[in-house]
Amino acid sequence: GEDVEQSLFLSVREGDSSVINCTYTDSSSTYLYWYKQEPGAGLQLLTYIFSNMDMKQDQRLTVLLNKKDKHLSLRIADTQTGDSAIYFCAEKGAGGYNKLIFGAGTRLAVHP
Amino acid sequence: GAGVSQSPSNKVTEKGKDVELRCDPISGHTALYWYRQRLGQGLEFLIYFQGNSAPDKSGLPSDRFSAERTGESVSTLTIQRTQQEDSAVYLCASSRGQFNSNQPQHFGDGTRLSIL
């Protein structure tokens, strides 16, 4: 079945780069997403990548996709305290509608 | 507003009572999703609506849970005879819903449900 896994916690120093990793099992995934959730709020779409790409950059965010290994990562350059949040990886399969399978989320803590 | 709106933002109720949660999707979004997020956990899919098609109810955890949506408008999620394990944040999302295309889901801020 479909499954998405993430490490649960990451701690980084302010100004350093953060790398959040995700693995998925559905080889037919078409789009992969990163969402950010701040305390008490819903999920905010950060970025996405289509499965025929291996990299996408958007300002401080870089998404890397290794389709062979079914591995997705999100790199945040120059991490700031405002980046502290939970980051969810999600995949959309090839068939049917836009049902997304979410990972359990990685809690990013940024310390001075 | 321009985003997905959910109400109430917080709901505290006694075990055994029924609750109704509301979601107002983004205008023009034909697809609507409900998720449950227990404390410290990821998102658990509950139900999906797409236009006038039959909803995908495969994620509903028991027959105490039901949801309705009329057309492409507001949806309500109802939990009957609430139990303490129903305590969670209930998130609603909507998208344009076109098949096999990049239509990311846009989320509301959720309803935090606490069962005493």
Side-chain angles (χ1 to χ4, degrees), chain B residues 13-21 36 60-68 76-86 90 113 115:
Chain B
T13 192
E14 293 179 347
K15 177 182 170 181
K17 301 284 190 185
D18 296 352
V19 295
E20 190 173 276
L21 313 180
R36 178 169 69 179
L60 295 178
S62 77
D63 59 7
R64 295 186 297 105
F65 287 72
S66 62
E68 291 185 352
T76 55
L77 176 69
T78 302
I79 308 173
Q80 296 178 306
R81 305 181 302 281
T82 52
Q83 304 294 313
Q84 286 186 332
E85 67 259 26
D86 299 334
Y90 289 82
L113 177 63
I115 309 299

Side-chain angles (χ1 to χ4, degrees), chain A residues 31 33 35 37 40-43 45 48 86 88 92-100 102-105 107, chain B residues 33 35 37 41-43 45 48 56 58 91 95 97-109 112:
Chain A
Y31 290 93
Y33 301 88
Y35 283 86
Q37 185 179 36
L43 275 68
L45 177 67
Y48 66 91
I86 301 175
F88 290 93
K92 174 188 177 302
Y97 58 86
N98 283 339
K99 180 178 177 180
L100 299 183
F102 285 86
R107 182 178 297 274
Chain B
Y33 311 77
Y35 296 88
Q37 185 178 26
Q41 298 187 20
L43 273 67
F45 168 78
Y48 159 79
D56 176 355
S58 61
L91 290 163
S95 73
Q98 292 167 357
F99 286 8
N100 292 325
S101 64
N102 178 28
Q103 298 296 338
Q105 296 178 18
H106 299 265
F107 284 79
D109 285 340
R112 184 175 300 276

Side-chain angles (χ1 to χ4, degrees), chain A residues 5-77:
Chain A
E5 293 191 356
Q6 303 177 236
S7 53
L8 295 181
F9 188 76
L10 176 65
S11 178
V12 299
R13 184 171 297 175
E14 190 174 13
D16 287 351
S17 292
S18 307
V19 179
I20 302 171
N21 294 300
C22 170
T23 58
Y24 58 97
T25 57
D26 185 358
S27 58
S28 65
S29 293
T30 54
Y31 290 93
L32 295 120
Y33 301 88
W34 284 104
Y35 283 86
K36 176 183 180 183
Q37 185 179 36
E38 298 186 38
L43 275 68
Q44 171 196 353
L45 177 67
L46 279 181
T47 188
Y48 66 91
I49 189 167
F50 187 49
S51 59
N52 70 351
M53 300 168 64
D54 52 21
M55 187 182 94
K56 180 179 180 181
Q57 187 153 2
D58 184 359
Q59 299 182 336
R60 291 191 298 122
L61 305 178
T62 303
V63 179
L64 295 178
L65 175 61
N66 182 327
K67 196 172 180 182
K68 174 177 171 288
D69 294 338
K70 301 191 194 69
H71 182 267
L72 182 74
S73 68
L74 174 69
R75 178 177 180 269
I76 306 172

